[in-house]
Amino acid sequence: MHQAHGNKIWFIPDGYIPPTSSGSLESHESICVLNTSSEEAILTVTIFFEDREPLEDIQVIVPARRTRHIRTNGLQHEGEFIPVGVPYAAQVVSTVSVIIQYSRLDATQAENALMSVMAYPLK
C-alpha cells in the first residue's frame, strides 16, 4: 500500500484567468495535483469571488498514484464557469492527502510569463 503525502485541505488565494492571449499560447491557470496514495483522491473545489456567491461542489477525481493538471477555465458547476478577467480564490478539499501546486501562464504579451507556487495547506 502506498502512503498518502501532503494535506487534505488547500487554499489558493490568487486566481485570475487573463482574458486575452497573444501568439500561439493560451493564457491559463492550472491546479496541479499529485496523489501518492493507493486510493483515488476525490477533490471538492470551491471558487470564491469578490462580488458574488462562490461556485461550490465542483468534483474532480485524481486516480491513485497519479498527477493531474486541472485547468481552472474548465471547472464548472451546473454550467457556470469561472469568468475570465475576474479575480478569484480557491479551496480544494480532498478525501486523501495530496500535494497541490498552482501555475499561471500569462500569454497576454509576446514575452510570456509563467508563475508557479505551492498552494497553502491547512491540514
Side-chain angles (χ1 to χ4, degrees), residues 8-14 46 48 89-93 100 102 117-123:
K8 291 185 178 181
I9 301 174
W10 294 83
F11 292 93
I12 301 162
D14 177 31
T46 301
F48 296 92
Q91 172 186 307
V92 180
V93 178
I100 295 184
Y102 191 64
V117 298
M118 292 305 296
Y120 178 80
L122 185 59
K123 55 181 170 175

Side-chain angles (χ1 to χ4, degrees), residues 66-118:
R66 297 291 185 268
T67 185
R68 182 154 181 202
H69 292 70
I70 304 159
R71 296 273 292 259
T72 58
N73 63 344
L75 293 174
Q76 65 165 316
H77 179 67
E78 297 179 356
E80 190 174 352
F81 292 86
I82 301 171
V84 297
V86 173
Y88 68 91
Q91 172 186 307
V92 180
V93 178
S94 178
T95 56
V96 299
S97 292
V98 294
I99 298 167
I100 295 184
Q101 179 177 321
Y102 191 64
S103 297
R104 174 184 297 152
L105 174 64
D106 184 344
T108 56
Q109 302 177 44
E111 297 79 22
N112 297 315
L114 178 65
M115 182 259 323
S116 191
V117 298
M118 292 305 296

